Amino acid sequence: MTTPLAFPPTLREVLFRGKWIRMLFLCLVVAGVFAWLGQWQLGQAIDTDPPPAGVTETQRPLDEVVQPGEYLPEPYVGHKVETRGSWVPGDFVIIASRFNDGVEGYWVSGQLRLADAAEPTSLAVAAGWAADRAAAEAAVEELERSADGSVIEVAGRIISDEGPVVPPRAEPFLLTRMSPAALLSLWSDTDGLSMYRPYLASTTAMGGLDDIASPAPAEGSPINWLNVFYAAEWVIFAGFAFYLWYRLARDEWEREVEEFEEQRSS
């Protein structure tokens, strides 16, 4: 009686085993979840309702753009706003390393106590630019003389807090960032005070200063490319789930073929 010839399993036979069919269904579920996450991420990447072009150039009341204590929404950074209030005496601070059309100089900032707020509320205002420290100090003196409690109208661009930084060792009290959070520690009469997180760069200079160069902000893209990258990553992960299934099954097939060859040769 002739012994039937023995052959090693084929890759197709291994792939169609119950174990690997169940593993394939599991990979389908995992890939489906990854595909859904990719679709969700892609939906987040595209702003379907972007603000209209030039929206920042329409001057609006400050409280229509941002509220005290709130972060400034990205589409409204640099928006033209208007408000009214009075300067708080003694709270004018010089900010160094401020560039106007590429020329380094100084800003003079002040605490503007808003006139129409239901509770004490302040806004940090950059009143203007000076080319040298002496001119900035002279502007502080002039602004102090005008801080008599009279209400003034202020208009300009509302800009996010730049964040405080460690001052240079040579001048430990020198500020180089326009940061309302840092200015709050230098202001007076702040008990129970509400304040705006962003600051206002005045369109018209005060105190004998020069106007701050403040061009319209660049129009942002409605596509968030970082989210697009994340969506592509989820697609890659979904593909990797199938590759992993195939690779593990192929490893088993190669191992069985190797064992078969060893048994036949022994």
Side-chain angles (χ1 to χ4, degrees):
M1 182 175 177
T2 304
T3 304
L5 295 175
F7 296 96
T10 64
L11 177 59
R12 182 176 181 276
E13 289 173 341
V14 173
L15 291 176
F16 276 87
R17 288 174 182 170
K19 178 178 70 172
W20 293 110
I21 292 295
R22 290 192 295 273
M23 185 67 74
L24 177 59
F25 280 122
L26 178 60
C27 288
L28 284 170
V29 173
V30 172
V33 173
F34 287 165
W36 176 82
L37 288 171
Q39 184 179 15
W40 175 82
Q41 199 80 59
L42 193 60
Q44 298 298 309
I46 302 174
D47 188 353
T48 57
D49 187 26
V55 66
T56 60
E57 302 312 289
T58 301
Q59 189 162 287
R60 297 167 59 185
L62 173 64
D63 58 5
E64 290 185 7
V65 175
V66 65
Q67 295 294 317
E70 292 182 353
Y71 288 100
L72 184 63
E74 184 65 29
Y76 298 105
V77 173
H79 202 296
K80 287 184 176 180
V81 298
E82 58 185 359
T83 189
R84 55 196 299 270
S86 56
W87 295 119
V88 177
D91 288 346
F92 294 102
V93 179
I94 295 174
I95 315 294
S97 299
R98 312 312 296 180
F99 288 84
N100 230 35
D101 292 328
V103 180
E104 186 174 4
Y106 299 83
W107 280 3
V108 175
S109 71
Q111 179 187 175
L112 188 74
R113 187 65 53 86
L114 302 190
D116 301 321
E119 58 184 14
T121 304
S122 286
L123 172 69
V125 176
W129 179 86
D132 54 64
R133 185 65 177 264
E137 291 173 348
V140 168
E141 294 178 1
E142 185 172 339
L143 287 167
E144 286 286 1
R145 288 193 292 270
S146 67
D148 54 7
S150 57
V151 175
I152 60 173
E153 304 281 343
V154 180
R157 294 191 185 276
I158 192 75
I159 304 173
S160 299
D161 188 325
E162 297 177 1
V165 295
V166 177
R169 183 174 298 180
E171 296 184 80
F173 298 105
L174 180 68
L175 296 183
T176 58
R177 296 285 187 92
M178 186 63 182
S179 171
L183 291 171
L184 180 62
S185 64
L186 303 175
W187 288 349
S188 57
D189 190 22
T190 58
D191 290 341
L193 180 70
S194 294
M195 68 173 296
Y196 284 85
R197 288 181 180 272
Y199 67 90
L200 186 145
S202 178
T203 302
T204 304
M206 293 168 269
L209 295 163
D210 295 334
D211 291 342
I212 295 173
S214 184
E219 296 289 342
S221 171
I223 299 176
N224 185 325
W225 291 105
L226 183 59
N227 278 354
V228 172
F229 172 74
Y230 289 152
E233 278 191 333
W234 286 118
V235 173
I236 293 172
F237 292 158
F240 183 74
F242 290 108
Y243 172 77
L244 184 63
W245 167 79
Y246 173 78
R247 186 67 258 180
L248 291 173
R250 185 180 179 87
D251 286 347
E252 181 171 302
W253 169 69
E254 289 176 347
R255 184 173 61 255
E256 291 185 9
V257 170
E258 184 177 344
E259 290 174 354
F260 176 85
E261 295 293 340
E262 289 177 353
Q263 290 176 1
R264 194 170 67 171
S265 62
S266 61

